[in-house]
């Protein structure tokens, strides 16, 4: 990449590209340009760095059609690209309604889909114009939402295919750069609207906080960003090295209660995130306090059909039930607990957590959790006994008993994973046709 003859700001961007491994030399770029000051500065800065290699630069503009004159912005960007001989792409939204939180999310997903498809087609990195002010706004918004301390950091330099080379550059510097290069830009009046929380943070909260901190608030937010990122990294390493949940997805609270509060919170966060659930710090604190009381029994809905459950020294997240159907020849197996387990059937063969099972090929099997009144054949007693009594005698902890997958044949339990099987259904000789049933989480 070009090193000499660059403006001071372009030198800083080039340094960012190298320091954070954002780009290889003259790698193809897809720059998202709205026509506003931020993206126009990004475009000119990268054109400085890519001088003589403009064929590697493509520009994508989105027209959301939320304003009557939105086509003016698109034409402005198109003319800039034409004058610099840059590849230009325009995507226009269809059937647009007035902007709401729901439509903003819809547009976000739409932009992501289009950008990633085009970038993949052209083997490009997607370059975003987020800058230092955006970073600080993001951290403050997270504070207002009450996220966990380990998640307070702002945006990352890269989350491929996206890169953000301006994260340490203030908006004022970008505007001054445009003025120095006599480059105009367009203003979106929605950026001034006080109905959006981010705009209020930008125009009201950040200036006030910076004034109260004698101009040092931005630096303090960046320090918080770095500390939070380091904490998240340390907690991720801890979670990778330490297993707290068992094979049934139960969180053992006897071990958990001896950990520091911040590690307890990290484990709870991790368990919720496994199910795609994001909780704020107040919710995590509430469940941590509940888990600290081993005598407390609770079941509370966290999101639609998702429940946080606690009993004695165990806690778990109960997810929606989805029946899974598996067929092998004319044998059918229904899995009623597919959110926790998936099952596989195969002729012969051995896998972990598997049973060799002899049944008629026309049989119908069902995988479920235990119910009141279930019976199971005890090899020791040579008779049918209550399953609850059998599991008690096997010294299975009480909460785990409700999460042992039970395999039923005509509603008779023939196996309880991962340890117990009705001997009547195990293969007796090699002439029998038998199946392997395996489970995985």
């Amino acid at each position: 990449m070009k090193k000499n003859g660059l403006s001071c700001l372009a030198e800083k961007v080039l340094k960012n590209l190298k320091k954070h491994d954002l780009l290889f030399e003259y790698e193809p770029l897809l720059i998202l340009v709205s026509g506003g000051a931020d993206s126009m500065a990004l475009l000119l800065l990268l054109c400085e760095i890519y001088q003589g290699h403009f064929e590697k630069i493509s520009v994508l503009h989105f027209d959301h059609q939320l304003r009557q004159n939105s086509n003016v912005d698109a034409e402005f960007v198109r003319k800039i690209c034409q004058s610099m001989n840059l590849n230009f792409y325009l995507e226009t939204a269809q059937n647009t309604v007035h902007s709401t939180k729901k439509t903003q999310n819809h547009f976000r997903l739409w932009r992501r889909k289009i950008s990633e498809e085009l970038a993949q087609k052209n083997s490009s990195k997607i370059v975003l114009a987020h800058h230092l002010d955006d970073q600080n706004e993001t951290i403050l918004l997270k504070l207002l939402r009450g996220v966990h301390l380990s998640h307070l950091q702002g945006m990352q330099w890269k989350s491929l295919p996206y890169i953000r080379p301006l994260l340490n550059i203030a908006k004022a510097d970008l505007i001054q750069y445009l003025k120095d290069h006599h480059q105009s830009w367009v203003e979106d009046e929605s950026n001034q609207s006080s109905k959006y929380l981010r705009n209020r943070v930008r125009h009201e909260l950040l200036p006030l906080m910076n004034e109260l901190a004698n101009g040092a608030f931005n630096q303090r937010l960046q320090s918080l960003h770095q500390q939070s990122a380091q904490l998240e990294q340390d907690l991720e390493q801890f979670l990778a090295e330490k297993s707290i949940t068992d094979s049934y997805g139960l969180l053992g609270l006897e071990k958990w209660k001896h950990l520091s509060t911040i590690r307890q919170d990290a484990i709870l966060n991790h368990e919720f995130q496994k199910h795609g659930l994001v909780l704020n710090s107040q919710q995590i604190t509430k469940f941590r306090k509940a888990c600290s009381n081993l005598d407390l029994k609770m079941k509370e809905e966290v999101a639609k059909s998702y429940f946080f459950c606690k009993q004695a020294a165990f806690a778990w997240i109960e997810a929606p039930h989805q029946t899974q159907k598996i067929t092998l020849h004319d044998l059918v197996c229904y899995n009623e607990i597919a959110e926790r387990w998936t099952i596989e059937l195969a002729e012969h063969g051995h896998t972990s957590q598997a049973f060799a099972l002899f049944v008629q090929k026309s049989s119908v099997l069902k995988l479920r959790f235990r119910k009141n009144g279930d019976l199971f054949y005890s090899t020791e007693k040579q008779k049918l006994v209550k399953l609850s009594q059998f599991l008690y005698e096997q010294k299975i902890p009480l909460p785990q008993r409700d999460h042992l997958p039970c395999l039923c044949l005509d509603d008779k339990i023939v196996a309880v994973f991962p340890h117990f099987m009705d001997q009547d259904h195990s293969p007796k000789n090699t002439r029998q046709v038998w199946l392997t049933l395996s489970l995985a989480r």
Side-chain angles (χ1 to χ4, degrees):
M1 293 183 183
K2 185 176 178 181
K3 296 181 181 179
N4 300 317
L6 295 180
S7 64
C8 293
L9 201 59
E11 286 279 8
K12 186 172 184 178
V13 173
L14 179 58
K15 183 178 179 181
N16 290 341
L17 293 173
K18 293 180 177 180
K19 179 180 179 181
H20 301 285
D21 296 320
L22 302 184
L23 288 175
F24 298 115
E25 189 166 1
Y26 300 119
E27 188 174 358
L29 304 178
L30 177 62
I31 309 174
L32 304 192
V33 180
S34 67
D38 307 340
S39 60
M40 284 303 303
L42 173 67
L43 176 60
L44 264 63
L45 286 163
L46 289 174
C47 283
E48 262 201 81
I49 295 169
Y50 268 64
Q51 190 66 42
H53 298 272
F54 283 2
E55 75 280 359
K56 298 289 187 178
I57 297 178
S58 297
V59 172
L60 174 59
H61 176 84
F62 292 101
D63 183 355
H64 301 86
Q65 292 198 319
L66 293 174
R67 294 176 285 113
Q68 289 185 349
N69 62 342
S70 63
N71 62 313
V72 174
D73 298 355
E75 184 63 16
F76 172 79
V77 178
R78 186 192 67 78
K79 286 183 177 179
I80 293 291
C81 293
Q82 188 178 45
S83 68
M84 303 176 73
N85 199 27
L86 302 175
N87 299 316
F88 174 70
Y89 298 91
L90 172 63
E91 288 291 336
T92 304
Q94 305 297 325
N95 303 319
T96 302
V97 296
H98 292 296
S99 180
T100 64
K101 188 174 182 179
K102 186 175 181 179
T103 58
Q104 286 180 48
N105 186 58
H106 167 76
F107 283 137
R108 190 177 298 112
L109 296 175
W110 171 64
R111 292 193 301 267
R112 179 180 289 272
K113 178 177 181 295
I114 297 297
S115 302
E116 292 178 3
E117 287 176 353
L118 186 56
Q120 185 175 22
K121 179 181 177 181
N122 297 337
S123 301
S124 307
K125 295 279 181 62
I126 303 172
V127 195
L128 304 176
H130 295 126
H131 47 71
L132 180 60
D133 298 49
D134 294 322
Q135 186 78 305
N136 292 337
E137 291 165 16
T138 298
I139 296 171
L140 276 179
L141 286 167
K142 286 187 173 185
L143 274 170
L144 293 173
R145 288 200 302 268
V147 303
H148 190 265
L149 182 60
S150 61
H151 297 149
L152 269 181
Q153 68 270 27
M155 296 170 281
Q156 303 301 312
W157 288 94
K158 64 178 175 180
S159 47
L160 296 178
Y162 301 93
I163 61 173
R164 301 176 179 88
L166 306 181
L167 286 181
N168 60 349
I169 300 174
K171 184 181 182 73
D173 293 334
L174 297 176
I175 290 177
Q176 187 59 53
Y177 172 82
L178 290 175
K179 290 179 178 179
D180 291 344
H181 288 73
H182 308 289
Q183 176 61 59
S184 61
W185 63 90
V186 295
E187 291 285 0
D188 183 349
E189 58 265 24
S190 67
N191 289 334
Q192 306 299 321
S193 173
S194 60
K195 75 176 183 178
Y196 299 118
L197 179 60
R198 180 176 282 272
N199 287 349
R200 295 197 64 189
V201 169
R202 176 182 304 155
H203 300 301
E204 300 174 33
L205 184 57
L206 262 175
L208 176 61
M209 298 295 283
N210 207 36
E211 177 187 338
L212 296 175
N214 295 319
F217 188 61
N218 287 342
Q219 290 85 346
R220 290 171 187 170
L221 280 179
Q222 288 309 297
S223 177
L224 179 61
H225 162 82
Q226 294 167 6
Q227 293 172 34
S228 177
Q230 184 60 56
L231 176 60
E232 183 180 42
Q233 183 179 338
D234 292 346
L235 290 175
E236 285 178 351
Q237 183 176 348
F238 163 75
L239 290 170
E241 295 173 351
K242 195 172 185 68
S243 176
I244 302 295
T245 55
D246 62 17
S247 58
Y248 306 106
L250 299 177
L251 172 62
L253 301 179
E254 287 288 356
K255 293 181 180 179
W256 174 89
K257 70 179 183 180
H258 295 296
L259 300 173
S260 66
T261 298
I262 201 161
R263 287 186 168 183
Q264 290 176 347
D265 287 353
I267 290 171
L268 290 174
N269 257 318
H270 181 69
E271 292 304 307
F272 284 114
Q273 288 171 2
K274 283 181 183 178
H275 298 274
L277 303 174
V278 179
L279 276 65
N280 61 36
S281 58
Q282 289 83 4
Q283 291 172 301
I284 292 294
T285 298
K286 174 183 177 180
F287 292 124
R288 169 169 41 83
K289 290 180 178 178
C291 289
S292 299
N293 183 358
L294 299 187
D295 295 328
L296 179 67
K297 181 178 180 180
M298 72 178 296
K299 181 176 182 179
E300 181 171 320
E301 190 169 26
V302 181
K304 187 176 182 181
S305 302
Y306 284 88
F307 293 86
F308 179 81
C309 306
K310 183 200 166 292
Q311 182 177 341
F314 293 92
W316 64 94
I317 297 169
E318 188 175 291
H321 286 206
Q322 295 177 340
T323 301
Q324 175 191 18
K325 180 180 178 180
I326 303 97
T327 318
L328 181 65
H329 303 306
D330 55 349
L331 179 106
V332 180
C333 187
Y334 291 95
N335 179 8
E336 294 185 352
I337 50 177
E339 85 288 346
R340 192 173 294 276
W341 299 92
T342 57
I343 64 178
E344 293 181 354
L345 292 173
E347 288 186 297
H348 301 277
H350 297 278
T351 63
S352 61
Q353 284 194 300
F355 278 125
L357 184 72
F358 172 64
V359 294
Q360 298 296 326
K361 284 292 191 72
S362 59
S363 300
V364 176
L365 298 169
K366 183 186 294 183
L367 193 69
R368 62 169 173 82
F369 292 135
R370 69 171 184 153
K371 299 178 181 177
N372 289 334
D374 279 339
L375 301 176
F376 187 70
Y377 187 82
S378 170
T379 305
E380 295 178 1
K381 297 183 178 180
Q382 296 290 305
K383 65 177 182 178
L384 285 172
V385 298
K386 288 184 177 181
L387 179 60
S388 57
Q389 181 65 25
F390 175 81
L391 296 175
Y392 171 78
E393 292 173 352
Q394 299 299 321
K395 299 182 178 179
I396 304 297
L398 181 60
Q400 286 189 8
R401 297 174 206 168
D402 292 327
H403 294 274
L404 292 169
C406 300
L407 184 67
C408 304
L409 176 63
D410 299 326
D411 222 31
K412 175 189 175 185
I413 296 179
V414 297
V416 181
F417 281 80
H419 304 299
F420 314 111
M421 183 169 180
D422 182 339
Q423 296 302 309
D424 289 343
H425 292 84
S426 60
K428 303 296 190 298
N429 57 66
T430 56
R431 291 191 301 274
Q432 291 178 328
V433 177
W434 53 276
L435 302 169
T436 294
L437 187 148
S438 59
L439 297 189
R441 290 191 74 252

